[in-house]
Amino acid sequence: MLERRALLGMAMAVAIGLATGAGPALAQPRDLVIFAAASLKNALDDATTAWVRETGKPAPRISYAASSALAKQLEAGAPADLFLPADLDWMDYAAGKGLIRPETRVTLLANRIALIAPSESTATIAMGPGLDLAAALGPGRLAMANVESVPAGKYGKAALEKLGAWDKVKDKVAQADNVRAALLLVSRGEAPLGIVYTTDAAADPKVKVLATFPPDSHPPILYPVAVTRDSTHPDAVAFLTYLRGAGPKAAFEKQGFTVLNKAANAT
């Protein structure tokens, strides 16, 4: 009799749990997760705030870092639903590894790079062929994102090479993990000059743009986005579609991005 009562008690407990939504059988779905280039932080934060307000859905969790680091994390099996790097190379890398759904890939944004200094700096730079940064740098260093793997650093190095300035500054570069870290070095006055995206410069009042690099001095700065191969989140495609809409367009343009919104197949 005692054994029967115990079994009945257990059955009732399970029934109550199911009715109230408690218990492991009704585990809550995880948040929508986005891997995004560090330079997107201000604009994408604004876009996700608008998404929450307009849809009533939970805010996505966004991991901001260098595109190279995010691609490697994705390759290692880190869970993410959307990948939004700052260049085509790292999206092509992810596509080559079969980590994205190529039919969802879109080239969403374009950007530019600029030479920046602390806001109180009196330095002046004549941007163009024969660019010489040595006098403005003095004993200081040039803050850049990693020039071998991080898109902002790669674009910056390409521009300096094109303008004939790289050989004179390559031993004076302070390389950071990502473009926002390079921005911070200049913002704090730890470096007299830096190369960042124009959108990063616009986000920090403690720096100013001395000059913008000519568009033909480096490869086009493009931001693709795609749903990841392993995403099962029901809002992944919906959020990507939202990013292509009017609301986020205003948020991106406010930060200085050019919205392209062009569908593209993986290469």
Side-chain angles (χ1 to χ4, degrees):
M1 179 66 71
L2 290 175
E3 183 178 355
R4 183 182 178 190
R5 287 179 178 175
L7 290 172
L8 287 171
M10 290 174 62
M12 290 179 65
V14 171
I16 292 171
L18 291 173
T20 59
L26 294 178
Q28 295 298 310
R30 66 168 176 81
D31 294 335
L32 184 69
V33 177
I34 302 167
F35 279 7
S39 53
L40 286 164
K41 180 168 174 47
N42 295 69
L44 198 52
D45 281 353
D46 287 349
T48 54
T49 297
W51 157 268
V52 171
R53 182 176 63 248
E54 294 173 22
T55 66
K57 295 179 180 293
R61 288 195 297 111
I62 307 177
S63 178
Y64 293 109
S67 302
S68 52
L70 295 172
K72 292 293 187 178
Q73 290 174 27
L74 199 61
E75 184 181 10
D81 300 293
L82 271 75
F83 181 41
L84 214 173
D87 74 352
L88 300 181
D89 287 348
W90 283 111
M91 182 61 87
D92 288 345
Y93 178 89
K97 298 289 184 178
L99 300 174
I100 64 163
R101 301 182 194 172
E103 72 278 7
T104 68
R105 180 173 171 173
V106 173
T107 301
L108 187 64
L109 305 169
N111 207 344
R112 298 188 68 181
I113 53 172
L115 184 70
I116 62 167
S119 56
E120 68 277 8
S121 173
T122 59
T124 58
I125 297 293
M127 180 63 68
L131 173 67
D132 186 358
L133 302 180
L137 278 174
R141 299 177 74 81
L142 176 65
M144 297 176 66
N146 186 288
V147 300
E148 300 301 328
S149 62
V150 180
K154 291 162 60 180
Y155 293 130
K157 179 183 177 182
L160 293 176
E161 288 177 332
K162 178 77 171 182
L163 299 175
W166 177 249
D167 286 341
K168 295 179 181 179
V169 300
K170 63 183 180 181
D171 295 329
K172 298 173 71 72
V173 174
Q175 297 192 53
D177 289 340
N178 59 64
V179 69
R180 283 301 174 100
L183 175 71
L184 196 58
L185 289 175
V186 181
S187 179
R188 289 176 174 174
E190 297 173 17
L193 298 175
I195 298 177
V196 300
Y197 297 118
T198 56
T199 51
D200 294 306
D204 191 332
K206 293 183 179 181
V207 306
K208 65 180 180 181
V209 173
L210 299 182
T212 302
F213 286 89
D216 62 357
S217 66
H218 55 78
I221 301 174
L222 303 174
Y223 290 67
V225 60
V227 175
T228 63
R229 176 197 63 200
D230 294 334
S231 174
T232 58
H233 201 289
D235 289 332
V237 173
F239 189 75
L240 188 153
T241 301
Y242 179 78
L243 289 179
R244 303 180 66 183
K249 182 176 186 290
F252 290 131
E253 290 179 340
K254 177 183 176 182
Q255 296 298 328
F257 290 97
T258 299
V259 177
L260 301 177
N261 202 6
K262 295 180 179 179
N265 293 321
T267 58

